[in-house]
Short mmCIF file of all heavy atoms in Angstrom, two decimals:
data_model
loop_
_atom_site.label_atom_id
_atom_site.label_comp_id
_atom_site.label_asym_id
_atom_site.label_seq_id
_atom_site.Cartn_x
_atom_site.Cartn_y
_atom_site.Cartn_z
N GLY Y 183 34.31 -18.09 0.37
CA GLY Y 183 35.27 -17.53 -0.57
C GLY Y 183 34.53 -16.99 -1.76
O GLY Y 183 33.42 -17.44 -2.08
N ALA Y 184 35.15 -16.00 -2.44
CA ALA Y 184 34.43 -15.34 -3.52
C ALA Y 184 34.22 -16.23 -4.72
O ALA Y 184 33.42 -15.94 -5.59
CB ALA Y 184 35.18 -14.07 -3.93
N GLU Y 185 34.94 -17.38 -4.76
CA GLU Y 185 34.74 -18.27 -5.91
C GLU Y 185 33.33 -18.87 -5.91
O GLU Y 185 32.89 -19.44 -6.90
CB GLU Y 185 35.79 -19.39 -5.94
CG GLU Y 185 35.77 -20.33 -4.75
CD GLU Y 185 36.74 -19.88 -3.67
OE1 GLU Y 185 36.90 -18.65 -3.49
OE2 GLU Y 185 37.36 -20.75 -3.02
N VAL Y 186 32.61 -18.70 -4.78
CA VAL Y 186 31.25 -19.25 -4.71
C VAL Y 186 30.38 -18.67 -5.83
O VAL Y 186 29.54 -19.38 -6.40
CB VAL Y 186 30.63 -19.00 -3.32
CG1 VAL Y 186 30.35 -17.52 -3.10
CG2 VAL Y 186 29.36 -19.80 -3.16
N ALA Y 187 30.62 -17.42 -6.18
CA ALA Y 187 29.83 -16.81 -7.25
C ALA Y 187 30.07 -17.53 -8.56
O ALA Y 187 29.15 -17.77 -9.34
CB ALA Y 187 30.16 -15.32 -7.38
N SER Y 188 31.32 -17.89 -8.83
CA SER Y 188 31.62 -18.61 -10.06
C SER Y 188 31.11 -20.03 -10.01
O SER Y 188 30.67 -20.59 -11.01
CB SER Y 188 33.14 -18.62 -10.29
OG SER Y 188 33.60 -17.29 -10.44
N LYS Y 189 31.14 -20.62 -8.80
CA LYS Y 189 30.60 -21.98 -8.67
C LYS Y 189 29.12 -21.99 -9.03
O LYS Y 189 28.63 -22.93 -9.63
CB LYS Y 189 30.76 -22.49 -7.23
CG LYS Y 189 32.18 -22.94 -6.90
CD LYS Y 189 32.23 -23.46 -5.47
CE LYS Y 189 33.66 -23.80 -5.05
NZ LYS Y 189 33.76 -23.96 -3.59
N VAL Y 190 28.41 -20.95 -8.62
CA VAL Y 190 26.96 -20.90 -8.87
C VAL Y 190 26.66 -20.46 -10.30
O VAL Y 190 25.87 -21.07 -11.01
CB VAL Y 190 26.26 -19.96 -7.87
CG1 VAL Y 190 24.78 -19.82 -8.22
CG2 VAL Y 190 26.41 -20.50 -6.45
N ASN Y 191 27.32 -19.39 -10.74
CA ASN Y 191 26.98 -18.80 -12.04
C ASN Y 191 27.84 -19.33 -13.18
O ASN Y 191 27.53 -19.10 -14.34
CB ASN Y 191 27.14 -17.28 -11.98
CG ASN Y 191 26.05 -16.63 -11.14
OD1 ASN Y 191 25.02 -17.26 -10.88
ND2 ASN Y 191 26.28 -15.42 -10.70
N GLY Y 192 28.93 -19.99 -12.84
CA GLY Y 192 29.87 -20.42 -13.86
C GLY Y 192 30.87 -19.31 -14.14
O GLY Y 192 30.62 -18.14 -13.86
N GLY Y 193 32.03 -19.68 -14.66
CA GLY Y 193 33.03 -18.68 -15.01
C GLY Y 193 34.40 -19.08 -14.48
O GLY Y 193 34.57 -20.11 -13.81
N THR Y 194 35.37 -18.23 -14.81
CA THR Y 194 36.74 -18.51 -14.41
C THR Y 194 37.10 -17.73 -13.17
O THR Y 194 36.83 -16.53 -13.09
CB THR Y 194 37.70 -18.11 -15.55
OG1 THR Y 194 37.32 -18.81 -16.72
CG2 THR Y 194 39.14 -18.45 -15.19
N PHE Y 195 37.66 -18.42 -12.20
CA PHE Y 195 38.02 -17.75 -10.96
C PHE Y 195 39.36 -18.28 -10.51
O PHE Y 195 39.52 -19.48 -10.28
CB PHE Y 195 36.96 -18.01 -9.87
CG PHE Y 195 37.18 -17.20 -8.63
CD1 PHE Y 195 36.45 -16.03 -8.41
CD2 PHE Y 195 38.12 -17.59 -7.68
CE1 PHE Y 195 36.65 -15.28 -7.27
CE2 PHE Y 195 38.32 -16.84 -6.54
CZ PHE Y 195 37.59 -15.68 -6.33
N GLY Y 196 40.34 -17.40 -10.35
CA GLY Y 196 41.67 -17.80 -9.88
C GLY Y 196 42.27 -18.88 -10.76
O GLY Y 196 42.98 -19.76 -10.28
N GLY Y 197 41.95 -18.82 -12.05
CA GLY Y 197 42.53 -19.78 -12.98
C GLY Y 197 41.72 -21.06 -13.11
O GLY Y 197 42.03 -21.90 -13.93
N VAL Y 198 40.68 -21.22 -12.27
CA VAL Y 198 39.85 -22.42 -12.36
C VAL Y 198 38.54 -22.06 -13.04
O VAL Y 198 37.95 -21.03 -12.73
CB VAL Y 198 39.56 -22.98 -10.94
CG1 VAL Y 198 38.76 -24.28 -11.05
CG2 VAL Y 198 40.85 -23.17 -10.18
N THR Y 199 38.08 -22.91 -13.95
CA THR Y 199 36.82 -22.63 -14.62
C THR Y 199 35.72 -23.52 -14.05
O THR Y 199 35.90 -24.73 -13.90
CB THR Y 199 36.96 -22.87 -16.13
OG1 THR Y 199 37.98 -22.00 -16.63
CG2 THR Y 199 35.64 -22.54 -16.84
N TYR Y 200 34.62 -22.87 -13.68
CA TYR Y 200 33.49 -23.60 -13.10
C TYR Y 200 32.35 -23.64 -14.11
O TYR Y 200 32.15 -22.69 -14.88
CB TYR Y 200 33.00 -22.91 -11.83
CG TYR Y 200 34.02 -22.89 -10.72
CD1 TYR Y 200 34.90 -21.81 -10.59
CD2 TYR Y 200 34.11 -23.94 -9.80
CE1 TYR Y 200 35.83 -21.77 -9.58
CE2 TYR Y 200 35.05 -23.91 -8.79
CZ TYR Y 200 35.91 -22.82 -8.67
OH TYR Y 200 36.83 -22.80 -7.67
N ALA Y 201 31.58 -24.74 -14.07
CA ALA Y 201 30.47 -24.89 -15.02
C ALA Y 201 29.26 -24.09 -14.56
O ALA Y 201 28.44 -23.66 -15.37
CB ALA Y 201 30.11 -26.36 -15.16
N GLY Y 202 29.13 -23.89 -13.26
CA GLY Y 202 27.93 -23.21 -12.76
C GLY Y 202 26.82 -24.21 -12.48
O GLY Y 202 26.92 -25.38 -12.85
N VAL Y 203 25.78 -23.75 -11.80
CA VAL Y 203 24.67 -24.61 -11.42
C VAL Y 203 23.45 -24.20 -12.22
O VAL Y 203 22.97 -23.08 -12.11
CB VAL Y 203 24.36 -24.47 -9.91
CG1 VAL Y 203 23.18 -25.36 -9.54
CG2 VAL Y 203 25.59 -24.82 -9.09
N THR Y 204 22.96 -25.11 -13.06
CA THR Y 204 21.74 -24.79 -13.80
C THR Y 204 20.52 -25.45 -13.15
O THR Y 204 19.43 -24.90 -13.18
CB THR Y 204 21.84 -25.26 -15.26
OG1 THR Y 204 22.39 -26.58 -15.27
CG2 THR Y 204 22.74 -24.34 -16.06
N ASP Y 205 20.75 -26.61 -12.54
CA ASP Y 205 19.66 -27.31 -11.87
C ASP Y 205 19.73 -26.97 -10.39
O ASP Y 205 20.64 -27.40 -9.68
CB ASP Y 205 19.83 -28.82 -12.11
CG ASP Y 205 18.77 -29.62 -11.36
OD1 ASP Y 205 17.92 -28.98 -10.69
OD2 ASP Y 205 18.81 -30.85 -11.44
N LEU Y 206 18.75 -26.19 -9.92
CA LEU Y 206 18.84 -25.66 -8.55
C LEU Y 206 18.82 -26.76 -7.50
O LEU Y 206 19.28 -26.56 -6.38
CB LEU Y 206 17.71 -24.67 -8.28
CG LEU Y 206 17.96 -23.25 -8.83
CD1 LEU Y 206 16.83 -22.33 -8.41
CD2 LEU Y 206 19.30 -22.70 -8.34
N SER Y 207 18.31 -27.97 -7.82
CA SER Y 207 18.30 -29.04 -6.83
C SER Y 207 19.73 -29.50 -6.55
O SER Y 207 19.99 -30.16 -5.55
CB SER Y 207 17.44 -30.20 -7.32
OG SER Y 207 18.04 -30.79 -8.46
N GLN Y 208 20.66 -29.16 -7.44
CA GLN Y 208 22.06 -29.53 -7.24
C GLN Y 208 22.87 -28.41 -6.55
O GLN Y 208 24.08 -28.54 -6.35
CB GLN Y 208 22.73 -29.84 -8.59
CG GLN Y 208 22.09 -31.00 -9.32
CD GLN Y 208 22.11 -32.27 -8.48
OE1 GLN Y 208 23.16 -32.65 -7.96
NE2 GLN Y 208 20.95 -32.90 -8.30
N LEU Y 209 22.16 -27.32 -6.21
CA LEU Y 209 22.87 -26.13 -5.71
C LEU Y 209 23.66 -26.42 -4.44
O LEU Y 209 24.85 -26.13 -4.35
CB LEU Y 209 21.85 -25.01 -5.45
CG LEU Y 209 22.41 -23.69 -4.93
CD1 LEU Y 209 23.39 -23.08 -5.92
CD2 LEU Y 209 21.28 -22.70 -4.66
N LEU Y 210 23.00 -27.04 -3.46
CA LEU Y 210 23.65 -27.29 -2.18
C LEU Y 210 24.83 -28.24 -2.37
O LEU Y 210 25.91 -28.04 -1.82
CB LEU Y 210 22.64 -27.86 -1.18
CG LEU Y 210 23.13 -28.02 0.25
CD1 LEU Y 210 23.50 -26.68 0.85
CD2 LEU Y 210 22.06 -28.69 1.11
N ALA Y 211 24.62 -29.28 -3.17
CA ALA Y 211 25.68 -30.27 -3.37
C ALA Y 211 26.88 -29.65 -4.09
O ALA Y 211 28.03 -29.95 -3.77
CB ALA Y 211 25.12 -31.45 -4.19
N THR Y 212 26.63 -28.78 -5.06
CA THR Y 212 27.72 -28.22 -5.86
C THR Y 212 28.43 -27.08 -5.16
O THR Y 212 29.66 -27.00 -5.18
CB THR Y 212 27.17 -27.71 -7.21
OG1 THR Y 212 26.32 -28.70 -7.76
CG2 THR Y 212 28.30 -27.39 -8.17
N ALA Y 213 27.64 -26.18 -4.55
CA ALA Y 213 28.24 -24.94 -4.05
C ALA Y 213 28.13 -24.78 -2.54
O ALA Y 213 28.62 -23.80 -1.98
CB ALA Y 213 27.59 -23.74 -4.74
N GLY Y 214 27.48 -25.74 -1.86
CA GLY Y 214 27.42 -25.69 -0.41
C GLY Y 214 26.50 -24.60 0.11
O GLY Y 214 25.81 -23.92 -0.66
N VAL Y 215 26.50 -24.45 1.45
CA VAL Y 215 25.65 -23.44 2.08
C VAL Y 215 25.98 -22.03 1.56
O VAL Y 215 25.08 -21.24 1.27
CB VAL Y 215 25.77 -23.51 3.62
CG1 VAL Y 215 25.06 -22.32 4.27
CG2 VAL Y 215 25.19 -24.83 4.12
N PRO Y 216 27.27 -21.69 1.41
CA PRO Y 216 27.56 -20.35 0.85
C PRO Y 216 26.93 -20.17 -0.53
O PRO Y 216 26.46 -19.08 -0.86
CB PRO Y 216 29.09 -20.32 0.77
CG PRO Y 216 29.53 -21.28 1.82
CD PRO Y 216 28.50 -22.38 1.82
N GLY Y 217 26.90 -21.24 -1.33
CA GLY Y 217 26.28 -21.16 -2.65
C GLY Y 217 24.80 -20.84 -2.54
O GLY Y 217 24.25 -20.06 -3.32
N VAL Y 218 24.16 -21.46 -1.53
CA VAL Y 218 22.73 -21.19 -1.32
C VAL Y 218 22.53 -19.73 -0.93
O VAL Y 218 21.67 -19.03 -1.47
CB VAL Y 218 22.17 -22.14 -0.23
CG1 VAL Y 218 20.74 -21.75 0.12
CG2 VAL Y 218 22.23 -23.58 -0.71
N LEU Y 219 23.36 -19.25 0.01
CA LEU Y 219 23.26 -17.84 0.42
C LEU Y 219 23.45 -16.92 -0.78
O LEU Y 219 22.73 -15.95 -0.97
CB LEU Y 219 24.31 -17.51 1.48
CG LEU Y 219 24.16 -18.20 2.84
CD1 LEU Y 219 25.30 -17.80 3.78
CD2 LEU Y 219 22.82 -17.85 3.46
N PHE Y 220 24.45 -17.26 -1.61
CA PHE Y 220 24.73 -16.42 -2.77
C PHE Y 220 23.53 -16.37 -3.71
O PHE Y 220 23.15 -15.31 -4.19
CB PHE Y 220 25.96 -16.96 -3.53
CG PHE Y 220 26.25 -16.18 -4.78
CD1 PHE Y 220 26.96 -14.99 -4.72
CD2 PHE Y 220 25.78 -16.62 -6.01
CE1 PHE Y 220 27.20 -14.25 -5.87
CE2 PHE Y 220 26.02 -15.89 -7.16
CZ PHE Y 220 26.73 -14.70 -7.09
N LYS Y 221 22.93 -17.54 -3.93
CA LYS Y 221 21.79 -17.61 -4.85
C LYS Y 221 20.63 -16.76 -4.32
O LYS Y 221 19.99 -16.02 -5.08
CB LYS Y 221 21.36 -19.07 -5.03
CG LYS Y 221 20.28 -19.26 -6.07
CD LYS Y 221 20.82 -19.01 -7.47
CE LYS Y 221 19.70 -18.90 -8.49
NZ LYS Y 221 20.25 -18.57 -9.83
N ILE Y 222 20.37 -16.89 -3.01
CA ILE Y 222 19.27 -16.10 -2.43
C ILE Y 222 19.57 -14.62 -2.61
O ILE Y 222 18.71 -13.83 -3.00
CB ILE Y 222 19.09 -16.43 -0.93
CG1 ILE Y 222 18.77 -17.91 -0.74
CG2 ILE Y 222 17.97 -15.58 -0.33
CD1 ILE Y 222 18.81 -18.35 0.70
N GLY Y 223 20.80 -14.23 -2.31
CA GLY Y 223 21.18 -12.83 -2.46
C GLY Y 223 21.04 -12.35 -3.89
O GLY Y 223 20.54 -11.26 -4.15
N ALA Y 224 21.45 -13.22 -4.83
CA ALA Y 224 21.39 -12.83 -6.24
C ALA Y 224 19.95 -12.64 -6.68
O ALA Y 224 19.63 -11.72 -7.43
CB ALA Y 224 22.08 -13.89 -7.10
N VAL Y 225 19.04 -13.49 -6.18
CA VAL Y 225 17.63 -13.36 -6.53
C VAL Y 225 17.06 -12.07 -5.94
O VAL Y 225 16.33 -11.33 -6.61
CB VAL Y 225 16.82 -14.59 -6.07
CG1 VAL Y 225 15.32 -14.32 -6.21
CG2 VAL Y 225 17.20 -15.81 -6.89
N ALA Y 226 17.44 -11.79 -4.68
CA ALA Y 226 16.98 -10.53 -4.07
C ALA Y 226 17.47 -9.35 -4.92
O ALA Y 226 16.73 -8.39 -5.17
CB ALA Y 226 17.50 -10.40 -2.64
N PHE Y 227 18.69 -9.44 -5.40
CA PHE Y 227 19.25 -8.37 -6.24
C PHE Y 227 18.50 -8.23 -7.56
O PHE Y 227 18.37 -7.13 -8.08
CB PHE Y 227 20.72 -8.66 -6.53
CG PHE Y 227 21.63 -7.78 -5.75
CD1 PHE Y 227 21.31 -7.43 -4.45
CD2 PHE Y 227 22.80 -7.29 -6.30
CE1 PHE Y 227 22.13 -6.61 -3.71
CE2 PHE Y 227 23.63 -6.45 -5.57
CZ PHE Y 227 23.30 -6.12 -4.27
N SER Y 228 18.02 -9.37 -8.07
CA SER Y 228 17.33 -9.30 -9.36
C SER Y 228 16.03 -8.50 -9.24
O SER Y 228 15.45 -8.10 -10.23
CB SER Y 228 17.04 -10.70 -9.89
OG SER Y 228 16.05 -11.32 -9.09
N MET Y 229 15.57 -8.27 -7.98
CA MET Y 229 14.35 -7.49 -7.77
C MET Y 229 14.62 -6.00 -7.60
O MET Y 229 13.68 -5.22 -7.50
CB MET Y 229 13.60 -8.01 -6.54
CG MET Y 229 12.87 -9.32 -6.76
SD MET Y 229 11.73 -9.26 -8.15
CE MET Y 229 10.47 -8.17 -7.47
N LEU Y 230 15.87 -5.59 -7.55
CA LEU Y 230 16.16 -4.17 -7.32
C LEU Y 230 15.44 -3.27 -8.31
O LEU Y 230 14.72 -2.35 -7.93
CB LEU Y 230 17.67 -3.90 -7.46
CG LEU Y 230 18.62 -4.49 -6.45
CD1 LEU Y 230 20.00 -3.88 -6.63
CD2 LEU Y 230 18.10 -4.23 -5.06
N VAL Y 231 15.67 -3.54 -9.58
CA VAL Y 231 15.14 -2.64 -10.61
C VAL Y 231 13.61 -2.73 -10.70
O VAL Y 231 12.94 -1.70 -10.76
CB VAL Y 231 15.85 -2.87 -11.95
CG1 VAL Y 231 15.20 -2.06 -13.05
CG2 VAL Y 231 17.32 -2.51 -11.83
N PRO Y 232 13.03 -3.97 -10.68
CA PRO Y 232 11.56 -4.04 -10.67
C PRO Y 232 10.94 -3.29 -9.49
O PRO Y 232 9.93 -2.59 -9.66
CB PRO Y 232 11.27 -5.54 -10.58
CG PRO Y 232 12.47 -6.19 -11.18
CD PRO Y 232 13.63 -5.30 -10.87
N ILE Y 233 11.52 -3.44 -8.30
CA ILE Y 233 10.95 -2.76 -7.13
C ILE Y 233 11.13 -1.24 -7.28
O ILE Y 233 10.21 -0.46 -7.02
CB ILE Y 233 11.64 -3.25 -5.84
CG1 ILE Y 233 11.24 -4.70 -5.56
CG2 ILE Y 233 11.29 -2.35 -4.66
CD1 ILE Y 233 9.80 -4.89 -5.13
N LEU Y 234 12.29 -0.84 -7.74
CA LEU Y 234 12.53 0.59 -7.94
C LEU Y 234 11.49 1.17 -8.91
O LEU Y 234 10.80 2.15 -8.61
CB LEU Y 234 13.94 0.80 -8.50
CG LEU Y 234 14.31 2.23 -8.90
CD1 LEU Y 234 14.39 3.12 -7.67
CD2 LEU Y 234 15.63 2.26 -9.66
N ALA Y 235 11.36 0.52 -10.05
CA ALA Y 235 10.43 1.03 -11.07
C ALA Y 235 8.99 0.96 -10.57
O ALA Y 235 8.22 1.90 -10.74
CB ALA Y 235 10.59 0.21 -12.36
N GLY Y 236 8.66 -0.16 -9.93
CA GLY Y 236 7.29 -0.35 -9.46
C GLY Y 236 6.87 0.72 -8.48
O GLY Y 236 5.77 1.27 -8.55
N PHE Y 237 7.77 1.06 -7.55
CA PHE Y 237 7.37 2.00 -6.52
C PHE Y 237 7.58 3.47 -6.93
O PHE Y 237 6.99 4.35 -6.31
CB PHE Y 237 8.03 1.66 -5.18
CG PHE Y 237 7.32 0.51 -4.52
CD1 PHE Y 237 7.76 -0.78 -4.68
CD2 PHE Y 237 6.17 0.74 -3.79
CE1 PHE Y 237 7.09 -1.84 -4.11
CE2 PHE Y 237 5.48 -0.31 -3.21
CZ PHE Y 237 5.94 -1.61 -3.37
N ILE Y 238 8.36 3.72 -7.95
CA ILE Y 238 8.34 5.06 -8.53
C ILE Y 238 6.95 5.29 -9.13
O ILE Y 238 6.30 6.31 -8.88
CB ILE Y 238 9.44 5.22 -9.61
CG1 ILE Y 238 10.82 5.27 -8.95
CG2 ILE Y 238 9.20 6.49 -10.43
CD1 ILE Y 238 11.97 5.25 -9.94
N ALA Y 239 6.49 4.28 -9.87
CA ALA Y 239 5.16 4.38 -10.48
C ALA Y 239 4.08 4.45 -9.41
O ALA Y 239 3.09 5.19 -9.55
CB ALA Y 239 4.91 3.19 -11.41
N PHE Y 240 4.28 3.71 -8.34
CA PHE Y 240 3.34 3.75 -7.20
C PHE Y 240 3.29 5.15 -6.60
O PHE Y 240 2.22 5.65 -6.24
CB PHE Y 240 3.79 2.72 -6.16
CG PHE Y 240 2.90 2.65 -4.95
CD1 PHE Y 240 1.76 1.88 -4.95
CD2 PHE Y 240 3.23 3.35 -3.79
CE1 PHE Y 240 0.95 1.80 -3.83
CE2 PHE Y 240 2.41 3.28 -2.67
CZ PHE Y 240 1.27 2.50 -2.69
N GLY Y 241 4.45 5.78 -6.52
CA GLY Y 241 4.49 7.13 -5.98
C GLY Y 241 3.72 8.12 -6.85
O GLY Y 241 3.14 9.07 -6.35
N ILE Y 242 3.72 7.88 -8.14
CA ILE Y 242 3.04 8.79 -9.06
C ILE Y 242 1.53 8.50 -9.10
O ILE Y 242 0.72 9.39 -8.99
CB ILE Y 242 3.62 8.64 -10.49
CG1 ILE Y 242 5.09 9.03 -10.50
CG2 ILE Y 242 2.82 9.48 -11.47
CD1 ILE Y 242 5.79 8.71 -11.80
N ALA Y 243 1.20 7.22 -9.25
CA ALA Y 243 -0.19 6.88 -9.59
C ALA Y 243 -0.85 5.99 -8.54
O ALA Y 243 -1.93 5.47 -8.78
CB ALA Y 243 -0.23 6.16 -10.95
N ASP Y 244 -0.22 5.81 -7.38
CA ASP Y 244 -0.73 4.90 -6.37
C ASP Y 244 -0.82 3.48 -6.91
O ASP Y 244 -0.08 3.13 -7.81
CB ASP Y 244 -2.09 5.36 -5.82
CG ASP Y 244 -1.90 6.41 -4.72
OD1 ASP Y 244 -1.02 6.17 -3.87
OD2 ASP Y 244 -2.60 7.42 -4.72
#
Side-chain angles (χ1 to χ4, degrees):
Chain Y
E185 62 267 35
V186 69
S188 298
K189 283 181 185 165
V190 175
N191 289 342
T194 303
F195 188 99
V198 183
T199 300
Y200 297 92
V203 179
T204 45
D205 177 1
L206 279 185
S207 66
Q208 299 302 310
L209 180 61
L210 187 62
T212 313
V215 171
V218 173
L219 294 179
F220 177 83
K221 186 69 192 176
I222 300 170
V225 169
F227 254 37
S228 70
M229 285 305 290
L230 293 191
V231 173
I233 290 290
L234 174 68
F237 282 94
I238 288 172
F240 180 84
I242 298 171
D244 276 316

